Amino acid sequence: MSGKPPFPPFTLETARQKARMAENAWNSKDPDKVSLAYTEDSVWRNRSEFIHGRAEILAFLQRKWAKELDYKLIKEVWACSDNRIAVRFQYEWHDAEGQWFRAHGNENWEFAENGLMRRREASINDVPIAESDRLFSWGDGPRPDDFPGLTDLGL
């Protein structure tokens, strides 16, 4: 992939578009598709894991969605400037034993001129929840446009 609009520098509106596109892609749980949004030499920190390049990103995403079942994600822009976007996010998932979790996190993103992400710094904490406490209740795939975001859900 040579480029992925919107391109930096970002306005609040284009940062929101970029975040929603990322959210929709991650909710597809398609590692091949998601990995294409990152530069070939993209650098990540995800929790305590350090990831270098698209091949490692792909392997990471394959492991992630094999473990984090029925994954559903909501992202919200926190701030943006030039070629950087900061988002907060939460996602719900369960493990193979049926224990549900809500992950709470923040990401700092830096983009190349072609709109591909070249750096991702993610800090994430998982909180066990009861299945009855789940809030992300849409079906499989992207969050519907009329489904509330984090702030509207009181999160």
Side-chain angles (χ1 to χ4, degrees):
M1 178 178 292
S2 60
K4 189 165 186 71
F7 303 110
F10 298 109
T11 64
L12 183 56
E13 180 58 31
T14 59
R16 286 180 176 150
Q17 290 171 4
K18 200 72 155 175
R20 187 59 187 254
M21 290 169 62
E23 174 188 315
N24 290 346
W26 281 62
N27 278 328
S28 77
K29 299 177 287 281
D30 181 339
D32 294 306
K33 175 183 173 182
V34 173
S35 70
L36 294 176
Y38 303 93
T39 62
E40 287 285 347
D41 61 348
S42 189
V43 176
W44 284 20
R45 183 190 55 79
N46 192 87
R47 303 176 191 248
S48 61
E49 192 169 351
F50 295 85
I51 301 164
H52 302 276
R54 195 178 286 159
E56 287 184 21
I57 290 169
L58 181 60
F60 166 83
L61 294 170
Q62 290 167 336
R63 287 192 316 273
K64 174 183 182 61
W65 289 316
K67 174 187 173 192
E68 296 178 357
L69 307 174
D70 291 320
Y71 174 98
K72 289 185 177 34
L73 165 72
I74 299 177
K75 291 183 181 286
E76 186 174 279
V77 171
W78 191 258
C80 66
S81 177
D82 301 320
N83 69 335
R84 293 181 174 165
I85 301 173
V87 297
R88 71 185 193 99
F89 64 89
Q90 293 184 32
Y91 63 88
E92 294 178 349
W93 63 281
H94 70 84
D95 62 18
E97 289 74 42
Q99 172 61 59
W100 281 91
F101 297 88
R102 184 170 301 122
H104 301 254
N106 299 291
E107 292 176 320
N108 295 317
W109 299 340
E110 182 179 82
F111 292 85
E113 291 174 357
N114 66 357
L116 297 180
M117 193 181 301
R118 68 176 165 214
R119 185 172 194 89
R120 175 181 174 269
E121 299 277 340
S123 297
I124 308 166
N125 302 96
D126 294 314
V127 178
I129 61 171
E131 185 172 2
S132 60
D133 292 331
R134 293 179 53 223
L135 297 174
F136 302 176
S137 58
W138 68 90
D140 210 22
R143 175 172 54 108
D145 289 339
D146 62 349
F147 196 92
L150 296 176
T151 299
D152 293 332
L153 289 169
L155 298 173

